[in-house]
Amino acid sequence: MPSVTLTEPDDFDAWRRAARALVLAGVKPDAIIWQVGGETDLFGSKQSLPPDGALNVPRAFIDLARSVICHVDHERFALLYTLLFRLQANRHLIEDRADPLVRRLDEMAKAVRRDVHKMRAFVRFREIDGRYVAWFEPDHHIVRLNAGFFMRRFANMAWSILTPELSIHWDGKALTEGPGARKTDAPAGDPVEDVWKAYYAAIFNPARVKVGAMTKEMPKKYWKNMPETALIPGLVAAAQARESGMIATARHHAAIGGNADAAWRALRDEAASCTRCTLHQCATQTVFGEGPVEAQIMIVGEQPGDQEDLAGRPFVGPAGQVLDRALAQAGIDRSRAYVTNAVKHFKFEQRGKRRIHAKPSVGEVQACRWWIDQERAIIAPKLIVALGATAARSVFGVTTPIGASRGKPIDLPESKEGWITVHPSYLLRIVDKAQAAEEFRRFVDDLAAVRQRLR
Ligand code: URA
């Protein structure tokens, strides 16, 4: 019986090489014993693998396998091999969600992705002798999978992430690995905690708070490593009023027999793991649109900025404040509008500690139209307001000059109307005070014309 021993529990490339050779040799799934590192197998006899070769495998399988390989289930290698083997007879099996094996592997991949997200969200560094050290206890073998994210995110810091199975260390240039550690190797209590507390209070999104869901998403085992969790009870209390407003909205939809809310939630959840372009690699998270699904106005910006990327909400930073002020002056209630962006991930260049906004490419805008088109279909707003050139390109599908097109309705398919105005960041860049005031006034006028149109 062939026995394959992988050196590491998450070694996708080694698994892939072995699996490819075995499939090409026609070896049946139940004839292989898969094991990792020091594990011994009493029954399998080690044999050399058949020669490697090329195998045509659906892309979706590779994506699935890269996640599943990090799951802690010992059966993962054999399950993946079984699917790979069966795919040779039916390439479309991977799309069959009714197949129990496909479903089980999908669930495993989801669990791994959740764990990846948790590590990104809940790792908290403490400063020890000029080095930032964090302790984290993942549920799955995800530390290597996540290393690239932390290297990009904290490129200019020297840091270590310690976990029971493995430690990773970054010195600003190279990543090294070390053995597993103990929690006491990353002592608690230092000035960095204040920074995290302020950050957390600033980004706390009451609309998303469900205490049950929060404790599920943020299991107690993470709480003790996170200084800001002491703030949670107070913040939760403040969330109640907002939450009841959202429940009323959901009821409204139920009452009119629509399922727009459920559709929007499903879309938002799907977008959370979007990899349609490369921007997800450096951004903290997808920043999806927000607002009532029955909104009559949809406001589209360019892409989340630094603060939006951290908070996971559109227009909460400086540009958002300008927008809020202008909407208020134009008589538009932001909480009744649906606010979103053409591109859902923050694109930036790292300069020292700062992340500087970088303009999304036409390809990135195009890739993200997948999401905004579906937001448009679900929300079905009467009017769409594009803020700036990137948003206009996304909304109208072609480059549309702002100066010549602003302040008047432009036809969109399905009898909808599009409007164009400037982006609030443009107003923030104007140095001359009088000119800035004049441009702000024109921005308010454009928005007031939109409001007038709704009457
Ligand atoms: N700029 C945008 O276009 N969108 C945001 O969400 C924030 C800043």
Side-chain angles (χ1 to χ4, degrees):
M1 184 176 267
S3 148
V4 181
T5 304
L6 306 173
T7 321
E8 302 293 349
D10 56 344
D11 194 342
F12 172 72
D13 290 329
W15 177 86
R16 177 150 83 161
R17 270 195 306 278
R20 196 161 46 194
L22 290 161
V23 167
L24 285 168
V27 182
K28 297 229 170 74
D30 54 7
I32 309 165
I33 291 171
W34 296 92
Q35 52 195 0
V36 177
E39 290 175 16
T40 51
D41 156 41
L42 295 177
F43 307 106
S45 64
K46 286 207 173 179
Q47 295 170 358
S48 56
L49 284 173
D52 197 1
L55 198 66
N56 194 1
V57 181
R59 172 82 223 169
F61 175 79
I62 303 291
D63 293 344
L64 178 82
R66 273 190 201 283
S67 293
V68 170
I69 217 83
C70 301
H71 201 283
V72 285
D73 190 329
H74 294 295
E75 284 189 81
R76 63 192 179 283
F77 307 116
L79 293 171
L80 282 172
Y81 184 79
T82 306
L83 180 58
L84 181 65
F85 194 83
R86 288 177 58 201
L87 281 169
Q88 304 315 300
N90 173 11
R91 231 183 119 72
H92 298 290
L93 177 63
I94 188 89
E95 293 143 31
D96 182 2
R97 295 292 178 272
D99 183 276
L101 176 60
V102 174
R103 255 208 330 266
R104 178 162 170 198
L105 288 167
D106 258 353
E107 286 305 316
M108 289 166 76
K110 254 191 224 147
V112 167
R113 284 199 297 271
R114 264 198 306 275
D115 208 28
V116 163
H117 178 74
K118 277 182 189 144
M119 182 171 172
R120 293 179 182 187
F122 303 145
V123 153
R124 293 294 178 268
F125 289 102
R126 273 116 171 130
E127 194 175 356
I128 302 173
D129 301 332
R131 185 173 189 87
Y132 293 91
V133 182
W135 169 253
F136 189 74
E137 294 167 67
D139 291 333
H140 299 282
H141 306 291
I142 52 152
V143 178
R144 284 193 193 91
L145 188 66
N146 246 343
F149 172 84
F150 287 95
M151 281 156 57
R152 289 186 294 270
R153 187 78 172 75
F154 300 106
N156 302 318
M157 281 165 46
W159 52 257
S160 296
I161 300 178
L162 313 181
T163 79
E165 187 176 272
L166 168 77
S167 306
I168 50 173
H169 312 281
W170 172 252
D171 63 4
K173 290 194 191 83
L175 188 81
T176 49
E177 286 185 8
R182 287 159 311 164
K183 184 170 174 7
T184 47
D185 296 326
D190 69 78
V192 183
E193 297 199 348
D194 292 339
V195 177
W196 283 112
K197 279 184 184 168
Y199 159 72
Y200 191 71
I203 66 161
F204 188 80
N205 176 4
R208 291 203 186 143
V209 175
K210 297 260 188 300
V211 180
M214 194 161 83
T215 42
K216 180 166 156 262
E217 282 307 312
M218 198 197 286
K220 284 262 159 43
K221 77 173 188 185
Y222 300 125
W223 284 44
K224 58 187 185 295
N225 301 324
M226 300 171 61
E228 70 273 24
T229 48
L231 303 176
I232 287 175
L235 293 167
V236 167
Q240 301 305 319
R242 177 80 188 268
E243 194 184 18
S244 46
M246 288 180 64
I247 291 167
T249 303
R251 262 203 229 106
H252 168 74
H253 267 284
I256 60 169
N259 62 0
D261 200 47
W264 177 81
R265 279 171 198 281
L267 187 68
R268 179 200 59 190
D269 293 349
E270 199 186 328
S273 48
C274 176
T275 54
R276 301 185 78 83
C277 73
T278 56
L279 294 185
H280 69 95
Q281 292 173 355
C282 295
T284 306
Q285 58 192 314
T286 304
V287 178
F288 205 64
E290 66 175 24
V293 285
E294 72 276 15
Q296 296 195 335
I297 303 183
M298 177 184 268
I299 298 172
V300 182
E302 183 196 71
Q303 60 159 342
D306 182 67
Q307 293 194 28
E308 287 80 11
D309 169 78
L310 296 172
R313 299 180 56 207
F315 283 106
V316 293
Q321 283 161 23
V322 175
L323 177 64
D324 285 351
R325 208 153 40 89
L327 286 172
Q329 290 191 23
I332 296 174
D333 180 353
R334 171 166 170 171
S335 70
R336 298 182 63 186
Y338 184 82
V339 180
T340 191
N341 280 300
V343 172
K344 307 284 192 252
H345 280 112
F346 179 34
K347 181 174 180 182
F348 60 92
E349 280 166 22
Q350 188 85 41
R351 285 203 213 132
K353 287 194 172 150
R354 296 183 60 215
R355 300 190 298 164
I356 310 294
H357 164 275
K359 193 173 158 56
S361 68
V362 172
E364 286 152 357
V365 174
Q366 191 55 29
C368 229
R369 283 188 79 197
W370 163 261
W371 299 114
I372 198 156
D373 284 352
Q374 295 190 67
E375 285 176 291
R376 275 165 75 163
I378 292 171
I379 308 293
K382 285 196 174 142
L383 303 174
I384 303 182
V385 184
L387 305 177
T390 303
R393 164 129 209 139
S394 169
V395 170
F396 297 101
V398 287
T399 304
T400 314
I402 299 176
S405 318
R406 70 187 292 182
K408 55 185 183 216
I410 303 169
D411 283 346
L412 280 173
E414 296 135 32
S415 320
K416 302 278 192 280
E417 263 180 21
W419 289 67
I420 299 182
T421 184
V422 293
H423 192 283
S425 298
Y426 158 72
L427 303 173
L428 286 169
R429 288 193 299 271
I430 302 175
V431 182
D432 182 81
K433 276 198 173 149
Q435 194 199 344
E438 170 59 15
E439 285 298 327
F440 181 75
R441 192 193 55 71
R442 291 186 68 199
F443 182 44
V444 172
D445 283 352
D446 288 348
L447 295 173
V450 169
R451 175 174 166 266
Q452 199 61 31
R453 190 78 179 172
L454 275 182
R455 288 202 152 164

